[in-house]
Amino acid sequence: MAVRELCFPRQRQVLFLFLFWGVSLAGSGFGRYSVTEETEKGSFVVNLAKDLGLAEGELAARGTRVVSDDNKQYLLLDSYTGNLLTNEKLDREKLCGPKEPCMLYFQILMDDPFQIYRAELRVTDINDHSPVFQDKETVLKISENTAEGTAFRLERAQDPDGGHNSIQNYTISPNSFFHININGSDEGMIYPELVLDKALDREEQGELSLTLTALDGGSPSRSGTSTVRIVVLDVNDNAPQFAQALYETQAPENSPIGFLIVKVSAEDVDSGVNAEVSYSFFDASENIRTTFQINPFSGEIFLRELLDYELVNSYKINIQAMDGGGLSARCRVLVEVLDTNDNPPELIVSSFSNSVAENSPETALAVFKINDRDSGENGKMVCSIQENLPFLLKPTVENFYILMTEGALDREIQAEYNITITVTDLGTPRLKTEHNITLLVSDVNDNAPAFTQTSYTLFVRENNSPALHIGSVSATDRDSGTNAQVTYSLLPPQDLHLPLASLVSINADNGHLFALRSLDYEALQAFEFRVGATDRGSPALSSEALVRVLVLDANDNSPFVLYPLQNGSAPCTELVPRAAEPGYLVTKVVAVDGDSGQNAWLSYQLLKATEPGLFSVWAHNGEVRTARLLSERDTAKHRLVVLVKDNGEPPRSATATLHVLLADGFSQPYLPLPEAAPAQAQADSLTVYLVVALASVSSLFLFSVLLFVAVRLCRRSRAASVGRCSVPEGPFPGHLVDVSGAGTLSQSYQYEVCLTGGPGTSEFKFLKPIISDIQAQGPGRKGEENSTFRNSFGFNIQ
């Protein structure tokens, strides 16, 4: 008996060369790999580094991985040695069934740069299974009139091994009636036929028992046996006949258990027992027997187990019809399993990075493969992500995709992205698979600190305590971590004369500003400087803001009297003619205050007077005027104390002492000194008084006449006089000194003043204001000055 060899064509080795974003995806020429089934876990397959022409350790450096098509890890790659090892015992029969050769397809993925190599692993069969017959005994009923040479097909044995290790031959135990003939099927399998060599005679031998042996081609060979019992029948001249030799039908894979697949029918023209037909599976595999069942009386074939198109897409079932006389007929039922969309797409992630630095260019984030076990439209897939995201999917080869950024990301706009990869098939109904990826955008120092204001204005009251907190500046940084930690500092002042380091300091951590020393409004009313804010990134970024400090005035200065002088020298005595009318301007107290604002608003009041009610002081300008007409009974000498007070809180004050001498005219050559003069001055003045008194006795009358004439002439020419006064020769020279207004003077005046010429004295004497325009203000106001005056004082100095 000839054994037919099955030849399996070898496929050519395949080279893949892909170009993606300038990254080469290349496959180097190398043959298929192979491993013998049932090899222990960890068995050596090949050294990939050598086979790919890479240096030792380069696989690890490039992030090399092995990915199987069915996402099962049959192989394990040692990236450091480059050895490809088995990850488990491989059973060829479980992996491929009867298919030969048994090929496992996988990819070799490298990340840096990205490359994919397609590879194949052939699992070589070993003879680890013996042939097995489904039925341990087969009964053949053969009519005694069967012609010699008639062949009876027997059920073949099953052997899970493939190739040469599968069944190669059948033998029958020695006998004189039959021999075995081997025939091949269109599926590439062989089956035995029992050929009648000599006519049977039921009367001579009604039953035979033969042993059928199946032999595989392994070394050593394995075998299995079954008993063939032959029953010799009387003549039954008509065998059953099927209505059709081939039944073709379709069944959706989601058909329920008990679903009617098809009904076969055979008829026998004989009568009686020879016409009774029964149906059964013939030469059916274990898979067919567990999936289908047949009603032996009706020929209906039902579904016994759920179908799965992805496992088996068609079945060939041999049906035998046998009559009561032992004659039989056979037909074939071809069941095509229709695919339904019952498998959602699969997404297998090969590599993934959950973070990316902002401002990075286009970056690959994940490499994944999609797969759908369905076929046709049910197996076609569409892969997508959400819209309005700065990411895109790049298809590569073998349903591989790369998720990558479209461009630079900005963490300050969005620091985290939830990306949903959706794979949808085109079946009905459509099934989809979603895979969620959370991507974190890591920060880089691309934002400088920003002050809450471009400039700050701070107020601090003078005379503050040192280390006083006077305000704060604040800056924020949109970055995160150390890139957002802000440090504050004082920048060098633009005004090099400003001692900034001794004026203020800043807390580097929180931006609080402190005055280092007490400030004096009168010395420094305002100053400004720049503050810098620097983050702790690399490189560090900074910004600056302008800080303006305004010193608020405190009432720490008392009024200072400019006139009359209060420095302890001999005071000036003011001369008032007894003929002065009420409101006559005696003099004016001039004072200033070093403070500002309401702290420098001065008011005047008469604190003490020798004769109350005779003089009054105007509160707003310090003018001292007569309050009533003078009389002969009024004392000639008067001492006035004027209080000058500011408007601060609490108020501060100063006093000015005035000496007023009432005179009948201005002919007296000598004016006595006030009691407040020093003792030496009083002595000198007494001497002068004596001399003047003696001289005046003889010339009193003449002097009085001249003085009266001079006064009258002076009054008439006062409007034309600017800096001089016509005064008779003597102790009143007409030299005028112009003194600008100061303090709280609201009007400008010009006075004639004489300096007494006695020994030891040098006093200024206000005689009378010189008014630019003399206008009569009504009865009793003759000679009173107009409300508009020049802004200067004129003094006659002797």
Side-chain angles (χ1 to χ4, degrees), residues 144-186:
E144 60 181 337
N145 62 348
T146 301
E148 296 180 0
T150 302
F152 301 92
R153 181 172 172 177
L154 302 176
E155 290 193 27
R156 61 184 178 85
Q158 304 290 329
D159 192 334
D161 294 325
H164 193 68
N165 292 326
S166 62
I167 297 174
Q168 302 295 319
N169 196 13
Y170 291 92
T171 61
I172 195 74
S173 58
N175 67 91
S176 58
F177 293 98
F178 299 95
H179 74 272
I180 288 295
N181 188 27
I182 306 298
N183 287 324
S185 67
D186 52 0

Side-chain angles (χ1 to χ4, degrees), residues 61-194:
R62 296 181 62 180
T64 307
R65 303 177 306 285
V66 173
V67 180
S68 300
D69 277 4
D70 55 1
N71 201 28
K72 294 182 179 178
Q73 199 68 27
Y74 299 119
L75 299 173
L76 181 65
L77 175 63
D78 187 339
S79 300
Y80 294 96
T81 62
N83 292 334
L84 187 64
L85 311 173
T86 59
N87 196 37
E88 60 181 45
K89 277 188 177 183
L90 300 179
D91 189 342
R92 191 203 68 82
E93 288 72 36
K94 288 184 179 180
L95 295 174
C96 301
K99 183 180 179 181
E100 184 64 29
C102 179
M103 306 296 291
L104 298 180
Y105 299 95
F106 63 94
Q107 294 85 32
I108 302 170
L109 273 68
M110 299 182 183
D111 287 339
D112 188 16
F114 182 74
Q115 289 182 299
I116 300 178
Y117 293 91
R118 285 282 295 170
E120 299 175 353
L121 177 68
R122 178 173 181 173
V123 182
T124 306
D125 184 53
I126 62 173
N127 193 24
D128 55 345
H129 295 87
S130 298
V132 176
F133 287 94
Q134 296 291 334
D135 298 321
K136 295 299 181 183
E137 182 181 59
T138 302
V139 178
L140 287 179
K141 296 179 180 181
I142 303 175
S143 177
E144 60 181 337
N145 62 348
T146 301
E148 296 180 0
T150 302
F152 301 92
R153 181 172 172 177
L154 302 176
E155 290 193 27
R156 61 184 178 85
Q158 304 290 329
D159 192 334
D161 294 325
H164 193 68
N165 292 326
S166 62
I167 297 174
Q168 302 295 319
N169 196 13
Y170 291 92
T171 61
I172 195 74
S173 58
N175 67 91
S176 58
F177 293 98
F178 299 95
H179 74 272
I180 288 295
N181 188 27
I182 306 298
N183 287 324
S185 67
D186 52 0
E187 289 88 4
M189 297 177 292
I190 62 174
Y191 59 89
E193 288 183 339
L194 190 63

Side-chain angles (χ1 to χ4, degrees), residues 253 287 306-315 373:
E253 64 174 327
N287 187 28
L306 294 177
L307 301 175
D308 190 345
Y309 174 86
E310 286 69 43
L311 294 179
V312 181
N313 55 20
S314 65
Y315 293 89
R373 297 173 61 197

Side-chain angles (χ1 to χ4, degrees), residues 322-354:
M322 183 176 289
D323 61 18
L327 297 180
S328 62
R330 298 178 184 89
C331 73
R332 173 170 287 186
V333 176
L334 179 61
V335 180
E336 181 183 358
V337 182
L338 299 179
D339 182 43
T340 60
N341 195 25
D342 59 342
N343 291 285
E346 299 173 351
L347 188 148
I348 305 168
V349 179
S350 300
S351 64
F352 168 64
S353 175
N354 63 352

Side-chain angles (χ1 to χ4, degrees), residues 171-467:
T171 61
I172 195 74
S173 58
N175 67 91
S176 58
F177 293 98
F178 299 95
H179 74 272
I180 288 295
N181 188 27
I182 306 298
N183 287 324
S185 67
D186 52 0
E187 289 88 4
M189 297 177 292
I190 62 174
Y191 59 89
E193 288 183 339
L194 190 63
V195 182
L196 182 62
D197 293 332
K198 186 174 71 172
L200 299 174
D201 187 348
R202 181 181 179 279
E203 288 71 28
E204 180 181 346
Q205 188 174 356
E207 187 174 316
L208 290 83
S209 182
L210 304 176
T211 300
L212 177 64
T213 302
L215 300 170
D216 62 22
S219 180
S221 177
R222 290 175 176 264
S223 64
T225 61
S226 177
T227 300
V228 179
R229 187 163 62 88
I230 301 173
V231 178
V232 183
L233 302 177
D234 284 334
V235 175
N236 181 20
D237 55 352
N238 289 289
Q241 293 292 326
F242 278 97
Q244 56 190 79
L246 177 65
Y247 291 83
E248 295 182 348
T249 186
Q250 295 177 333
E253 64 174 327
N254 59 352
S255 300
I257 295 176
F259 177 77
L260 177 61
I261 301 297
V262 71
K263 179 180 179 180
V264 297
S265 177
E267 295 182 356
D268 195 315
V269 296
D270 290 327
S271 62
V273 176
N274 294 329
E276 295 178 358
V277 178
S278 62
Y279 303 93
S280 62
F281 291 127
F282 178 80
D283 193 18
S285 65
E286 183 66 24
N287 187 28
I288 291 177
R289 292 177 183 273
T290 57
T291 305
F292 304 96
Q293 65 180 8
I294 186 170
N295 189 317
F297 304 107
S298 64
E300 294 176 331
I301 301 175
F302 298 94
L303 191 61
R304 187 176 182 182
E305 193 176 74
L306 294 177
L307 301 175
D308 190 345
Y309 174 86
E310 286 69 43
L311 294 179
V312 181
N313 55 20
S314 65
Y315 293 89
K316 294 178 181 179
I317 308 173
N318 295 319
I319 305 298
Q320 176 177 267
M322 183 176 289
D323 61 18
L327 297 180
S328 62
R330 298 178 184 89
C331 73
R332 173 170 287 186
V333 176
L334 179 61
V335 180
E336 181 183 358
V337 182
L338 299 179
D339 182 43
T340 60
N341 195 25
D342 59 342
N343 291 285
E346 299 173 351
L347 188 148
I348 305 168
V349 179
S350 300
S351 64
F352 168 64
S353 175
N354 63 352
S355 66
V356 61
E358 65 173 331
N359 301 332
S360 298
E362 292 186 357
T363 304
L365 304 175
V367 178
F368 61 91
K369 180 182 180 182
I370 60 175
N371 183 48
D372 196 317
R373 297 173 61 197
D374 295 319
S375 62
E377 292 296 316
N378 297 331
K380 293 181 180 179
M381 298 164 290
V382 176
C383 186
S384 64
I385 59 175
Q386 309 104 295
E387 295 181 355
N388 302 323
L389 288 181
F391 306 100
L392 54 86
L393 291 175
K394 290 282 188 179
T396 59
V397 295
E398 299 291 335
N399 286 332
F400 274 94
Y401 284 82
I402 297 180
L403 174 66
M404 63 181 304
T405 59
E406 282 187 326
L409 302 178
D410 190 346
R411 189 204 66 85
E412 287 68 43
I413 296 178
Q414 188 167 349
E416 180 178 316
Y417 291 90
N418 291 317
I419 308 169
T420 301
I421 303 174
T422 304
V423 185
T424 306
D425 61 25
L426 301 181
T428 303
R430 293 193 175 189
L431 301 179
K432 69 178 181 179
T433 297
E434 295 182 344
H435 184 80
N436 295 318
I437 293 176
T438 299
L439 178 68
L440 301 177
V441 182
S442 59
D443 185 54
V444 297
N445 193 28
D446 58 344
N447 289 282
F451 280 95
T452 55
Q453 302 172 213
T454 56
S455 64
Y456 296 82
T457 300
L458 307 180
F459 299 90
V460 57
R461 189 167 295 277
E462 68 172 328
N463 303 323
N464 59 283
S465 60

Side-chain angles (χ1 to χ4, degrees), residues 632-645:
E632 295 297 333
R633 293 176 299 176
D634 293 327
T635 307
K637 295 181 181 179
H638 294 270
R639 182 174 178 270
L640 306 180
V641 178
V642 178
L643 177 67
V644 183
K645 182 172 65 174

Side-chain angles (χ1 to χ4, degrees), residues 507-523:
N507 188 312
D509 297 324
N510 54 28
H512 291 343
L513 290 166
F514 300 90
L516 295 180
R517 60 181 174 85
S518 179
L519 301 177
D520 187 357
Y521 173 84
E522 288 69 37

